[in-house]
Amino acid sequence: MFANISCAKIQAFTCERGLKMHIPGLVFSRFVFASALTLATSSSAWVCKAETPPAVQGAAAATSRNAPATPPAQDVVLIGTPSLLRVANPWPGEQVEEICATFRIEAEASISAVDVYTTGLGNTLLAVTEDRSAPCPKQGALRITIKKGANSTIGTDIAVRIDSKPLSTPGTSIQGAVVAVAGTKKLAEFALKVERPPREEIWAAGLWTLGVIIPAALTFGFGQLVVWLTARQKEKNEFRDYRLANLTSLHDFFNTVDTVIRAAQQRPGETVYGLIVARGIFSKMTGRGIRLLSTACVSNDLPTIVTALARLFPEFEKPVTKLRQSLTDINKPAQN
């Protein structure tokens, strides 16, 4: 009944040009134009609706592109890798404690040897260990090579001995990586940060006290000591000047004391004390001299008084000798 009109031709004409397509030239002459037009219109509607819209096709393509791909198998795997290590603050005068971390490296059978080294971690050393709970190894190398040996695959534990020298100051840190390579090809790596925390507030306060308060107190104390010594030396100089400027008056004082000694009084100390006060000698003496002579006078012991006068008046050697002779003379009858 119909001419051999392909669906593609109908689709092209109906979808692109709508009802303006020239249907009469494509059908047999015995069919009227209206029947051909009706058939073409219904066919084009069915074909256009069955076609997937371009927007849907683009979304499907984008979904296909964004679908997660299955990750390729890794030749080398690092297991139990640490990411952050903290170094404890030592006591003053002690060294920063060296710390260790361990991880395991495993490789496929196709890998015969793996080189492991660190970057950005100073002189951090690496060593193969058989016991992950063992103490930090004393020996190590900056770069180690792990081979299969008799095993079919590589699988071993590695200890990382952290270099603590860059962490000599509280609050500092270092950051680097542990890298595994085979020849020149990098197979695996992990980042590692090592930090030393800052001092706590109470510790900082203690250090501040040791570094500021105590030195300031020592400086203040030393300054006060200097002031006291200067004032004492000044008093001694003034009393010396007084003795040298009043030689005649002081000789008269010693003669009066000698008279008191020979009078054999019951309380000679009170009499000598009164003489010192009356002549204003105490006002010229140092504080230490006043205490020494006052204590001697209160004792009412003449030898003690004479000894105190000898220490406080070194320029009056002869008058003091005369006083001692008087003491000897008054004691002779008592000896007989």
Side-chain angles (χ1 to χ4, degrees):
M1 294 174 66
F2 301 98
N4 187 17
I5 304 175
S6 66
C7 182
K9 290 183 179 181
I10 296 176
Q11 178 182 357
F13 278 97
T14 56
C15 291
E16 293 179 3
R17 299 182 182 180
L19 297 177
K20 294 181 180 181
M21 58 182 293
H22 298 283
I23 300 299
L26 298 177
V27 297
F28 292 107
S29 59
R30 65 172 176 257
F31 285 95
V32 294
F33 176 77
S35 299
L37 180 61
T38 302
L39 176 61
T41 304
S42 61
S43 299
S44 64
W46 177 83
V47 172
C48 292
K49 289 181 181 179
E51 181 186 16
T52 302
V56 177
Q57 293 179 353
T63 304
S64 177
R65 289 195 302 268
N66 294 334
T70 303
Q74 292 181 326
D75 295 332
V76 173
V77 179
L78 305 179
I79 304 172
T81 56
S83 59
L84 176 62
L85 299 176
R86 287 187 174 90
V87 180
N89 287 313
W91 290 99
E94 296 183 355
Q95 299 293 328
V96 178
E97 180 184 1
E98 292 186 345
I99 61 173
C100 280
T102 58
F103 67 93
R104 184 171 181 80
I105 181 171
E106 295 182 356
E108 296 291 338
S110 59
I111 305 298
S112 60
V114 177
D115 290 339
V116 183
Y117 63 93
T118 64
T119 60
L121 298 176
N123 292 325
T124 295
L125 302 180
L126 302 171
V128 175
T129 179
E130 297 180 357
D131 185 3
R132 304 188 68 171
S133 61
C136 190
K138 298 298 181 181
Q139 303 296 329
L142 298 176
R143 185 186 185 106
I144 60 174
T145 300
I146 304 172
K147 299 181 179 180
K148 286 196 300 186
N151 300 324
S152 59
T153 59
I154 293 176
T156 185
D157 293 329
I158 298 178
V160 184
R161 183 179 179 181
I162 304 300
D163 180 18
S164 59
K165 291 181 180 179
L167 305 171
S168 58
T169 304
T172 56
S173 64
I174 55 176
Q175 188 166 359
V178 179
V179 184
V181 298
T184 59
K185 180 181 179 182
K186 181 188 295 185
L187 301 178
E189 69 175 342
F190 68 89
L192 177 59
K193 181 179 181 180
V194 186
E195 65 179 20
R196 178 181 173 183
R199 296 288 190 183
E200 297 181 359
E201 294 183 1
I202 186 171
W203 181 267
L207 292 180
W208 183 81
T209 301
L210 292 175
V212 178
I213 299 298
I214 292 180
L218 292 176
T219 302
F220 175 78
F222 181 76
Q224 292 299 311
L225 178 62
V226 171
V227 171
W228 178 77
L229 292 175
T230 302
R232 182 180 176 186
Q233 186 63 37
K234 181 180 179 181
E235 290 179 347
K236 292 173 67 176
N237 294 338
E238 290 178 351
F239 184 49
R240 181 197 60 198
D241 296 339
Y242 167 76
R243 295 194 305 266
L244 296 177
N246 296 273
L247 293 176
T248 303
S249 175
L250 290 175
H251 273 289
D252 183 61
F253 166 74
F254 276 97
N255 290 332
T256 305
V257 173
D258 183 66
T259 301
V260 172
I261 292 174
R262 290 183 179 277
Q265 299 179 5
Q266 282 187 334
R267 296 183 177 277
E270 295 181 5
T271 305
V272 174
Y273 187 87
L275 292 173
I276 296 171
V277 174
R279 293 174 181 269
I281 299 176
F282 273 146
S283 63
K284 306 298 181 181
M285 295 175 61
T286 64
R288 185 177 180 183
I290 294 173
R291 291 190 297 271
L292 177 63
L293 192 53
S294 299
T295 302
C297 292
V298 170
S299 68
N300 283 312
D301 183 53
L302 287 174
T304 303
I305 295 173
V306 173
T307 301
L309 291 173
R311 290 182 59 184
L312 296 173
F313 298 88
E315 299 87 358
F316 295 85
E317 184 177 353
K318 289 183 178 181
V320 170
T321 302
K322 183 179 178 181
L323 295 179
R324 287 172 175 167
Q325 185 60 44
S326 297
L327 288 175
T328 302
D329 292 344
I330 66 174
N331 288 330
K332 285 182 179 179
Q335 293 176 358
N336 294 333

